[in-house]
Amino acid sequence: MTLVEKTESRIREDVASVSLEKVLARHGRIDLVPLPSDSPEDPLNWSSFRKNMLLALVAFHACLGPFSAACVIPSFEDFVVDFGITLTEASYLVSVPIVFLGTIPLLWAPVSNRIGRRPVYLASMLLSAAMQLASAYCTTYGSLMTTRVLVSVFICPPQSIGASTVSEVFFVHQKGQKMGIWALLVSVGPTIAPLIMGPLVYHTGQWQWTFYFLAIINFAHFILYIFFCPETLFDRPDRSNGSPTSSMVERVSTGKWYTPYTSFRRHSREPWIRLPLNVISPLRYLMKPTILLPSLAYAITFTYTNVLLTVQIPALLGQKYLLNTQQVGLQFIAPFLGALLGEPIAGYGSDKWMEYRVRKAGGTRQPEWRLPFAIPGFLIAIVGLMIFGVQLQNTSAGVWNVTPDVGSGIALFGLQLVTTVCTTYAIESQPGHTGQAALMVAFIRQMYAFTGPFYFTLQFDSMGTVNACGLLSGLIAIGMCFILLCILFGKSWRTGKEAISREQESTSELSDEKVKV
């Protein structure tokens, strides 16, 4: 028997000894994290089409939150005329929904843990469509603000359970790329909204068509969810001891392909009276540096690139270059392209970087190894923001110039590297609590971003474009320092010094045994 045949025979014996024949037949490998069950109901065992279709819908749903918040940007001047408000007050129609996009997901996460992801996603889209339609019939600033807040309340579930859904459907070695897709759509939502709504409002002559369009999109998404959004919560039996449990065998024999679409049940027996405690309990993860620091780094960069370069475009570019509604919307082509080009590098590139580090380390895996991939993102974001500020100040008023848009595109390219890496690291650092980690990332990002529109205008008016962008770039650099701290101390924060010492002792003993052999 040749060496190859002996190796294959040994692998088959190992697989059989731990009852993983079906896993090997289905996936072609058994070194999977997490290890799937043998049940066809297990989301990890679904077909690639089924998984990726669900990912596309959930990611687009996540996009619709910031998309809905930013969709009114081209209509600011119309609101000034119709409601008798200032341009700054019109910007509050963006900033106030942002805070609800960050806080209300704290409620949706425990609710979905009880009743499942599918009912929450369906209700979210249907109620959002109703509120979008109601927005189109508002006649006062206060009523429009109310419906805008309600839209944020109902449309925000993916901000907390979207990352959990990705973790429930895909393996760890796929997470960087798949989370990158989810993160990309969250990032481009604020940029593509004005890009689409600007021409729509300009040619229809009515800001109400913004909300008619969103109502149609939300309802169509609801219909797609009915057919392509199965339940992803699955009680996966523990097979760490190698043999399937009786519950696993029962699932294999009784499970049907359509069960995740038609089965509605309680997934947690925790009493509803504990819901308020469940809502605030994720806040304790703010005490974990491996969640707090990357989330802050991401939030700072997100606010001073994405939020700044969307909310302030009508005031900075629109007023200086005398742009109409359609022209204001077209300024968002550059940041959209920047984010779109940055994601393939952020998701696929960071996964390949991790594979290289894992292979180099002989199979061990540390979440911190992903973080160096974010450093170029911070630097690129700073360069792009400074190009935007310098060129905006140096160009002539009343004559449109493309160079500020080039800077915004570069900034969004860098942001995408930061977004994917920081989000994935925060989730990977808490393998048993991925939902809470993702929720805190979104919470910190939205709460920090909420404050930006309240001081951006005053800051740029008093400091000037270059100085303001320079100050904000310095804050982004501080965020980069947070990531450097995670690279240096993240492992000790995650595992503790005693665990690291035990790991080093175990590695030393293993090396000694290899030498003896």
Side-chain angles (χ1 to χ4, degrees), residues 2-17:
T2 65
L3 179 60
V4 174
E5 291 173 338
K6 289 181 180 180
T7 303
E8 292 177 350
S9 177
R10 177 65 181 274
I11 292 175
R12 285 194 296 269
E13 291 175 1
D14 291 341
V15 170
S17 67

Side-chain angles (χ1 to χ4, degrees), residues 458-485:
L458 178 62
Q459 182 181 29
F460 276 79
D461 288 344
S462 61
M463 296 181 64
T465 306
V466 174
N467 290 336
C469 288
L471 175 60
L472 300 181
S473 296
L475 294 175
I476 293 175
I478 293 176
M480 182 175 66
C481 293
F482 293 159
I483 297 302
L484 294 174
L485 289 175

Side-chain angles (χ1 to χ4, degrees), residues 348-369:
Y348 182 78
S350 65
D351 277 347
K352 288 301 179 183
W353 169 255
M354 281 294 288
E355 289 178 11
Y356 165 74
R357 292 297 303 271
V358 170
R359 188 167 58 249
K360 187 177 179 180
T364 60
R365 184 185 186 92
Q366 300 294 337
E368 287 73 26
W369 293 342

